[in-house]
Amino acid sequence: MPQTPLLSVVVAVYNGELFLAKFFACLEAQAIEGMEVIMVNDGSTDGSMAIIDAWRDRFPGMLVIEQENQGVSVARNTGLAVATGQYLSFPDIDDDFKPGMYRRLLDLALASNLDVVTCNGNYVYENNRKPSRPIFPEDKLQSTGVMSGPAWLKKALDSRKFLHVTWLNLYRHDFIREHGFKFEPGLRHQDIPWTTEVLLAAQRVQYTNERFYDYYIHSASVSHKPDTDDTLIRSARHYIKILEMLEAINQRYPEQVKNIPACNWQIAKEGLGILHTFNNMKDPQKKKMIVKEFFDRGIWRLIWKNARGFRLRWRLGRRYLKLKKATRVPG
């Protein structure tokens, strides 16, 4: 009977030919015996499949799944559905992760039967146009012992420097399976609701501030292209959906959330981001349309309800009249 792999690495691939060779080299350098590698080719139209095929021999039992392009969430869910490992990881193909990352995280996870184990990383800028810096500043978040997921989420959100990402973490597969957690299809920044709910449900979490992962900020990234009114509208709709999901999550975990005021704060904070998106729009008619949708879906009420403290409400209140004015544009 085949032994259960310690780790399943679930990888979404879409037009990744520029990054895949480096990604596979990072994966090989982890030197985890019996690691299960699941590559989900999400409708790539470039040479990604040829590169994946060229590396198959280096990863015995690599599972390659091809599907029509449906986005990173569906690709991750596809891989998650067939994964058999004790722990799961979801790295991005255009980043670097250091030798020893997965071994170190697995050692922590196995020693304490963790639901989630997480580490630190670096922001690294293309062509070194800015100095690299830690994702979580070490004066704000230091290594922890084993703690509950809600306690870690509170600590992390209270730092105001927390980044909702999957790729710094390993997840205990049975924990993910028991709760039926999946990524939200078609949603950009789906890591925000995923991470929030996973941590609210987790009982055993540990963080090490060792920096194992380089997150590259580069011009080929979708999230760093110049915006148009249409891309701003799409972004606003993604964040509106995220706020609705965060509110539903808060209602599913009332006992945990009542001790974490930052669960309300993050709804208000992401809401301010939506208002900033509206400010950057040029076409008054398009702006009127999306602002009306924002009010009609009850998002203003949701943000206001979750804004705690005078300063946050003052910042929102200043924008309210401008928003209402935008909905009165003729036409």
Side-chain angles (χ1 to χ4, degrees), residues 125-185:
Y125 294 85
E126 187 175 44
N127 301 323
N128 296 316
R129 57 189 172 82
K130 288 187 186 176
S132 74
R133 59 189 173 90
I135 291 172
F136 304 136
E138 289 168 3
D139 61 329
K140 300 287 186 185
L141 284 173
Q142 293 157 0
S143 296
T144 70
V146 179
M147 41 197 322
S148 73
W152 166 245
L153 181 62
K154 181 179 189 307
K155 185 182 183 72
L157 289 177
D158 284 350
S159 77
R160 300 298 193 254
K161 295 293 182 182
F162 184 55
L163 189 69
H164 289 281
V165 292
T166 60
W167 29 260
L168 290 174
N169 308 324
L170 299 188
Y171 303 94
R172 187 168 63 84
H173 195 172
D174 282 346
F175 160 71
I176 298 298
R177 195 186 280 122
E178 284 158 15
H179 289 273
F181 290 137
K182 289 191 170 57
F183 295 94
E184 182 68 19

Side-chain angles (χ1 to χ4, degrees), residues 271-319:
L272 278 169
I274 295 173
L275 303 188
H276 182 68
T277 299
F278 295 157
N279 284 344
N280 290 334
M281 294 184 66
K282 307 287 193 296
D283 184 327
Q285 294 304 327
K286 288 182 176 180
K287 183 173 180 178
K288 175 182 177 180
M289 178 272 296
I290 190 64
V291 171
K292 183 176 184 303
E293 185 178 321
F294 171 83
F295 279 109
D296 288 349
R297 284 174 71 168
I299 303 302
W300 172 264
R301 285 195 307 276
L302 178 60
I303 295 169
W304 187 258
K305 181 184 88 168
N306 282 280
R308 307 291 162 86
F310 173 79
R311 186 165 175 267
L312 198 47
R313 286 202 159 192
W314 180 76
R315 288 174 70 191
L316 286 167
R318 285 175 60 207
R319 289 162 171 81

